Amino acid sequence: MASNLAEVTKAIPDFTELVEEHQAMVFGLAYHFLHDRSAAEEIAQDVFVELHQHLDQLESAEHVLFWLRRVTANRCIDVSRRRKRRPEVPLEELSDSAASIVETDFWLNERLRRLVASLPEKARIIVLLRYQEDLEPVAISQVLQIPLNTVKSHLQRALISLRHKAGVAERKR
Amino acid sequence: MTDHSQDDRLEDERLEKALRAALLRQNPSEDFASRLQTRIAQRTQPKQTVDSWWALPRMGWAVVGVMCVGIAIGGAKYEQHRREAEGQAARQQVLVALRIAGAKIQLAQSRVQRLSEH
């Protein structure tokens, strides 16, 4: 409890340190969301510029992390809606490939990333916060400001569909 | 049923493990931080380029504005002077005409007087 309190009330590092500490998180979320490096860099830059403007309003290192995840998630969704270059594939229609989910090679990772990037926006960001950031559904609902049951429902449906599309070949063996 | 549930759980675990491996945090380009610092520095500096573009002409515009006002005032004054001069000239002409007329009347009066004396 004491260590948690210390963690929560830890002073905010200076801006340069914050960038160094969180750039992989912010860029990672944006990249996995859009599957586009240049667009992800632009989003990440925008997020940190906004952080610089709001830094005096943030109260702790933990608050900064929470703020970054929320702003990054919102920006990703906004950019995705404006672009609509990669049409969303409903969960039921994700591409059917014979890749096995047991294998963890580069191509499987890339295929999974593409599958995740084709999920509907809400499901996509929830999957990313769950598996890139290792957030529990309760924390995800706080970041995205959506009900917990909605988070759980999206997560469950996304996993079912991803499992079905990525794991079909495994069952057939 | 139990086997199927266990299979499902195993599948879920494998998928989640695969997702965690595929969705690791990613580093941006090497110059990300330096570009960010440059961008922030440009935002926090006064907008020199925009202001400087306007600054000199803004001074120039002020001078031009003053000159325009001066020209307008000068023009108005000139116009006023011109009208006054025209009015003065017209007045002079009237006076001359009156003098001429007056002189002719006097001449006529003196002739009439001489004729009446004879």
Side-chain angles (χ1 to χ4, degrees):
Chain A
M1 179 72 174
S3 63
N4 285 345
L5 183 62
E7 185 66 28
V8 165
T9 57
K10 198 162 59 176
I12 298 175
D14 74 6
F15 182 73
T16 308
E17 289 177 26
L18 287 173
V19 173
E20 196 175 322
E21 184 178 350
H22 297 299
Q23 62 181 356
M25 183 272 286
V26 173
F27 176 77
L29 282 175
Y31 172 68
H32 290 312
F33 192 92
L34 295 172
H35 209 65
D36 180 338
R37 280 197 77 89
S38 61
E41 288 233 354
E42 205 174 311
I43 287 177
Q45 290 266 328
D46 290 347
V47 168
F48 280 110
V49 168
E50 197 172 335
L51 175 67
H52 188 262
Q53 294 170 335
H54 292 90
L55 201 51
D56 56 345
Q57 300 168 19
L58 302 178
E59 297 168 354
S60 66
E62 189 68 23
H63 191 186
V64 169
L65 182 57
F66 176 85
W67 187 95
L68 283 171
R69 284 172 175 153
R70 171 178 286 179
V71 171
T72 304
N74 289 337
R75 279 210 178 246
C76 286
I77 292 170
D78 288 345
V79 168
S80 176
R81 284 176 183 165
R82 283 203 300 268
R83 277 155 53 110
K84 287 294 183 190
R85 219 198 304 169
R86 198 187 302 266
E88 286 179 8
V89 179
L91 289 173
E92 301 74 25
E93 294 178 16
L94 287 173
S95 60
D96 195 356
S97 166
S100 165
I101 60 170
V102 177
E103 298 165 17
T104 55
D105 61 359
F106 170 81
W107 298 111
L108 173 62
N109 286 346
E110 181 58 22
R111 179 167 150 61
L112 275 176
R113 283 191 282 264
R114 286 178 186 274
L115 286 175
V116 168
S118 297
L119 289 170
E121 286 152 357
K122 267 292 186 305
R124 199 185 319 169
I125 195 64
I126 287 170
V127 165
L128 292 178
L129 289 171
R130 180 78 186 94
Y131 296 108
Q132 178 188 298
E133 293 303 296
D134 205 26
L135 294 186
E136 294 298 327
V138 170
I140 294 172
S141 77
Q142 290 168 351
V143 169
L144 299 179
Q145 294 181 296
I146 59 177
L148 177 58
N149 287 341
T150 304
V151 171
K152 288 180 176 177
S153 170
H154 276 297
L155 194 54
Q156 190 177 31
R157 289 179 61 211
L159 287 178
I160 288 169
S161 189
L162 288 171
R163 188 178 65 178
H164 174 72
K165 299 302 177 183
V168 166
E170 181 62 19
R171 286 217 176 92
K172 283 178 180 174
R173 286 184 184 176
Chain B
M1 186 70 176
T2 307
D3 288 343
H4 182 68
S5 298
Q6 281 179 347
D7 285 344
D8 281 348
R9 268 199 297 277
L10 279 173
E11 287 287 331
D12 280 344
E13 283 172 14
R14 281 189 218 145
L15 174 59
E16 289 186 318
K17 186 178 172 184
L19 283 169
R20 284 193 174 89
L23 299 177
L24 291 172
R25 290 178 175 182
Q26 300 279 322
N27 284 318
S29 57
E30 283 182 10
D31 62 345
F32 178 84
S34 61
R35 282 190 290 115
L36 175 63
Q37 294 290 4
T38 302
R39 190 171 156 185
I40 288 171
Q42 285 172 349
R43 285 177 67 91
T44 53
Q45 275 176 4
K47 293 180 184 177
Q48 293 283 340
T49 48
V50 175
D51 277 353
S52 64
W53 188 77
W54 279 103
L56 286 175
R58 196 182 286 160
M59 296 284 285
W61 286 121
V63 170
V64 168
V66 167
M67 284 173 62
C68 285
V69 168
I71 289 169
I73 292 171
K77 285 211 174 289
Y78 171 75
E79 185 66 21
Q80 185 185 7
H81 174 74
R82 191 181 64 79
R83 285 185 186 158
E84 282 176 359
E86 280 180 0
Q88 195 77 339
R91 237 192 326 273
Q92 289 297 327
Q93 285 179 348
V94 167
L95 287 174
V96 165
L98 284 173
R99 278 194 209 113
I100 293 170
K104 285 184 176 176
I105 290 170
Q106 272 185 338
L107 184 60
Q109 277 179 338
S110 66
R111 281 182 181 169
V112 166
Q113 196 172 2
R114 261 186 271 142
L115 284 172
S116 65
E117 282 172 357
H118 293 312

Short mmCIF file of all heavy atoms in Angstrom, two decimals, chain B residues 40-64:
data_model
loop_
_atom_site.label_atom_id
_atom_site.label_comp_id
_atom_site.label_asym_id
_atom_site.label_seq_id
_atom_site.Cartn_x
_atom_site.Cartn_y
_atom_site.Cartn_z
N ILE B 40 8.05 21.81 -30.66
CA ILE B 40 7.62 22.51 -29.45
C ILE B 40 8.30 23.87 -29.36
O ILE B 40 7.67 24.86 -29.00
CB ILE B 40 7.90 21.66 -28.19
CG1 ILE B 40 6.93 20.48 -28.15
CG2 ILE B 40 7.79 22.49 -26.92
CD1 ILE B 40 7.24 19.46 -27.10
N ALA B 41 9.57 23.92 -29.71
CA ALA B 41 10.30 25.19 -29.67
C ALA B 41 9.67 26.18 -30.64
O ALA B 41 9.53 27.37 -30.32
CB ALA B 41 11.76 24.96 -30.02
N GLN B 42 9.26 25.71 -31.81
CA GLN B 42 8.62 26.59 -32.78
C GLN B 42 7.28 27.09 -32.26
O GLN B 42 6.91 28.24 -32.50
CB GLN B 42 8.41 25.85 -34.11
CG GLN B 42 9.67 25.68 -34.90
CD GLN B 42 9.47 24.79 -36.11
OE1 GLN B 42 8.44 24.12 -36.26
NE2 GLN B 42 10.45 24.76 -36.98
N ARG B 43 6.57 26.26 -31.54
CA ARG B 43 5.26 26.66 -31.01
C ARG B 43 5.40 27.68 -29.90
O ARG B 43 4.56 28.57 -29.76
CB ARG B 43 4.52 25.44 -30.47
CG ARG B 43 3.95 24.52 -31.52
CD ARG B 43 3.31 23.32 -30.85
NE ARG B 43 2.15 23.71 -30.08
CZ ARG B 43 0.91 23.74 -30.56
NH1 ARG B 43 0.68 23.42 -31.81
NH2 ARG B 43 -0.11 24.08 -29.80
N THR B 44 6.47 27.56 -29.10
CA THR B 44 6.60 28.44 -27.93
C THR B 44 7.26 29.76 -28.27
O THR B 44 7.09 30.74 -27.56
CB THR B 44 7.41 27.77 -26.80
OG1 THR B 44 8.65 27.31 -27.35
CG2 THR B 44 6.66 26.59 -26.22
N GLN B 45 7.98 29.80 -29.42
CA GLN B 45 8.57 31.07 -29.82
C GLN B 45 7.49 31.96 -30.36
O GLN B 45 6.52 31.47 -30.94
CB GLN B 45 9.62 30.85 -30.91
CG GLN B 45 10.99 30.48 -30.36
CD GLN B 45 11.94 30.19 -31.49
OE1 GLN B 45 11.60 30.34 -32.65
NE2 GLN B 45 13.16 29.79 -31.16
N PRO B 46 7.69 33.29 -30.25
CA PRO B 46 6.74 34.19 -30.91
C PRO B 46 6.81 33.94 -32.39
O PRO B 46 7.87 33.60 -32.91
CB PRO B 46 7.23 35.60 -30.58
CG PRO B 46 8.45 35.45 -29.78
CD PRO B 46 8.73 34.01 -29.54
N LYS B 47 5.68 34.10 -33.08
CA LYS B 47 5.64 33.75 -34.49
C LYS B 47 6.39 34.79 -35.30
O LYS B 47 5.79 35.66 -35.92
CB LYS B 47 4.18 33.65 -34.95
CG LYS B 47 3.48 32.48 -34.29
CD LYS B 47 2.06 32.39 -34.76
CE LYS B 47 1.35 31.28 -34.02
NZ LYS B 47 -0.06 31.20 -34.37
N GLN B 48 7.72 34.65 -35.29
CA GLN B 48 8.57 35.65 -35.93
C GLN B 48 8.25 35.77 -37.41
O GLN B 48 8.08 36.85 -37.94
CB GLN B 48 10.03 35.25 -35.78
CG GLN B 48 10.55 35.30 -34.34
CD GLN B 48 10.82 36.71 -33.89
OE1 GLN B 48 10.98 37.60 -34.71
NE2 GLN B 48 10.86 36.94 -32.60
N THR B 49 8.20 34.62 -38.07
CA THR B 49 8.04 34.68 -39.53
C THR B 49 6.75 35.38 -39.91
O THR B 49 6.73 36.23 -40.77
CB THR B 49 8.07 33.28 -40.14
OG1 THR B 49 7.19 32.46 -39.37
CG2 THR B 49 9.47 32.70 -40.10
N VAL B 50 5.69 35.02 -39.22
CA VAL B 50 4.41 35.64 -39.58
C VAL B 50 4.43 37.11 -39.19
O VAL B 50 4.10 37.98 -39.98
CB VAL B 50 3.25 34.92 -38.87
CG1 VAL B 50 1.94 35.62 -39.15
CG2 VAL B 50 3.18 33.47 -39.34
N ASP B 51 4.89 37.37 -37.91
CA ASP B 51 4.90 38.76 -37.47
C ASP B 51 5.88 39.58 -38.29
O ASP B 51 5.60 40.71 -38.65
CB ASP B 51 5.29 38.83 -35.99
CG ASP B 51 4.08 38.58 -35.10
OD1 ASP B 51 2.96 38.50 -35.66
OD2 ASP B 51 4.24 38.48 -33.88
N SER B 52 7.08 38.98 -38.58
CA SER B 52 8.07 39.77 -39.29
C SER B 52 7.58 40.07 -40.70
O SER B 52 7.87 41.12 -41.24
CB SER B 52 9.40 39.03 -39.35
OG SER B 52 9.24 37.84 -40.10
N TRP B 53 6.85 39.09 -41.24
CA TRP B 53 6.30 39.35 -42.56
C TRP B 53 5.37 40.54 -42.52
O TRP B 53 5.28 41.34 -43.43
CB TRP B 53 5.56 38.11 -43.07
CG TRP B 53 5.12 38.23 -44.48
CD1 TRP B 53 5.90 38.09 -45.60
CD2 TRP B 53 3.82 38.56 -44.95
NE1 TRP B 53 5.15 38.29 -46.73
CE2 TRP B 53 3.87 38.59 -46.37
CE3 TRP B 53 2.60 38.84 -44.32
CZ2 TRP B 53 2.76 38.87 -47.16
CZ3 TRP B 53 1.51 39.11 -45.11
CH2 TRP B 53 1.60 39.13 -46.52
N TRP B 54 4.62 40.63 -41.44
CA TRP B 54 3.68 41.74 -41.29
C TRP B 54 4.37 42.97 -40.69
O TRP B 54 3.90 44.09 -40.92
CB TRP B 54 2.53 41.33 -40.38
CG TRP B 54 1.49 40.54 -41.10
CD1 TRP B 54 1.31 39.20 -41.04
CD2 TRP B 54 0.52 41.03 -42.03
NE1 TRP B 54 0.26 38.83 -41.85
CE2 TRP B 54 -0.24 39.93 -42.47
CE3 TRP B 54 0.20 42.31 -42.52
CZ2 TRP B 54 -1.30 40.05 -43.38
CZ3 TRP B 54 -0.85 42.42 -43.43
CH2 TRP B 54 -1.58 41.30 -43.84
N ALA B 55 5.43 42.75 -39.90
CA ALA B 55 5.96 43.84 -39.08
C ALA B 55 6.42 45.00 -39.93
O ALA B 55 5.98 46.13 -39.74
CB ALA B 55 7.09 43.32 -38.21
N LEU B 56 7.33 44.72 -40.89
CA LEU B 56 7.83 45.83 -41.69
C LEU B 56 6.71 46.48 -42.50
O LEU B 56 6.53 47.69 -42.42
CB LEU B 56 8.96 45.36 -42.60
CG LEU B 56 10.30 45.09 -41.87
CD1 LEU B 56 11.31 44.51 -42.84
CD2 LEU B 56 10.82 46.37 -41.24
N PRO B 57 5.99 45.71 -43.26
CA PRO B 57 4.89 46.36 -43.98
C PRO B 57 3.89 47.02 -43.03
O PRO B 57 3.26 47.98 -43.42
CB PRO B 57 4.23 45.21 -44.75
CG PRO B 57 5.31 44.22 -44.91
CD PRO B 57 6.15 44.34 -43.66
N ARG B 58 3.76 46.45 -41.80
CA ARG B 58 2.83 47.10 -40.88
C ARG B 58 3.30 48.50 -40.57
O ARG B 58 2.52 49.44 -40.55
CB ARG B 58 2.73 46.27 -39.58
CG ARG B 58 1.54 46.63 -38.75
CD ARG B 58 1.52 45.84 -37.48
NE ARG B 58 1.13 44.45 -37.71
CZ ARG B 58 1.38 43.46 -36.87
NH1 ARG B 58 2.03 43.68 -35.76
NH2 ARG B 58 0.98 42.25 -37.13
N MET B 59 4.64 48.65 -40.35
CA MET B 59 5.20 49.98 -40.16
C MET B 59 4.98 50.80 -41.42
O MET B 59 4.56 51.95 -41.38
CB MET B 59 6.71 49.88 -39.89
CG MET B 59 7.08 49.15 -38.61
SD MET B 59 6.78 50.19 -37.19
CE MET B 59 8.14 51.31 -37.32
N GLY B 60 5.27 50.15 -42.57
CA GLY B 60 5.10 50.83 -43.83
C GLY B 60 3.66 51.23 -44.05
O GLY B 60 3.37 52.34 -44.52
N TRP B 61 2.76 50.32 -43.69
CA TRP B 61 1.34 50.62 -43.85
C TRP B 61 0.96 51.82 -42.98
O TRP B 61 0.14 52.65 -43.38
CB TRP B 61 0.47 49.43 -43.48
CG TRP B 61 0.48 48.31 -44.49
CD1 TRP B 61 0.86 47.02 -44.31
CD2 TRP B 61 0.10 48.42 -45.88
NE1 TRP B 61 0.74 46.31 -45.47
CE2 TRP B 61 0.28 47.14 -46.45
CE3 TRP B 61 -0.38 49.46 -46.70
CZ2 TRP B 61 0.00 46.87 -47.78
CZ3 TRP B 61 -0.65 49.19 -48.03
CH2 TRP B 61 -0.47 47.90 -48.56
N ALA B 62 1.56 51.90 -41.81
CA ALA B 62 1.26 53.02 -40.92
C ALA B 62 1.73 54.32 -41.56
O ALA B 62 1.00 55.33 -41.57
CB ALA B 62 1.94 52.82 -39.57
N VAL B 63 2.92 54.27 -42.11
CA VAL B 63 3.45 55.47 -42.78
C VAL B 63 2.56 55.83 -43.97
O VAL B 63 2.21 56.99 -44.18
CB VAL B 63 4.90 55.22 -43.24
CG1 VAL B 63 5.37 56.32 -44.15
CG2 VAL B 63 5.82 55.08 -42.02
N VAL B 64 2.22 54.80 -44.75
CA VAL B 64 1.35 55.06 -45.90
C VAL B 64 0.03 55.64 -45.45
O VAL B 64 -0.53 56.57 -46.07
CB VAL B 64 1.14 53.75 -46.69
CG1 VAL B 64 0.02 53.90 -47.70
CG2 VAL B 64 2.42 53.33 -47.39
#
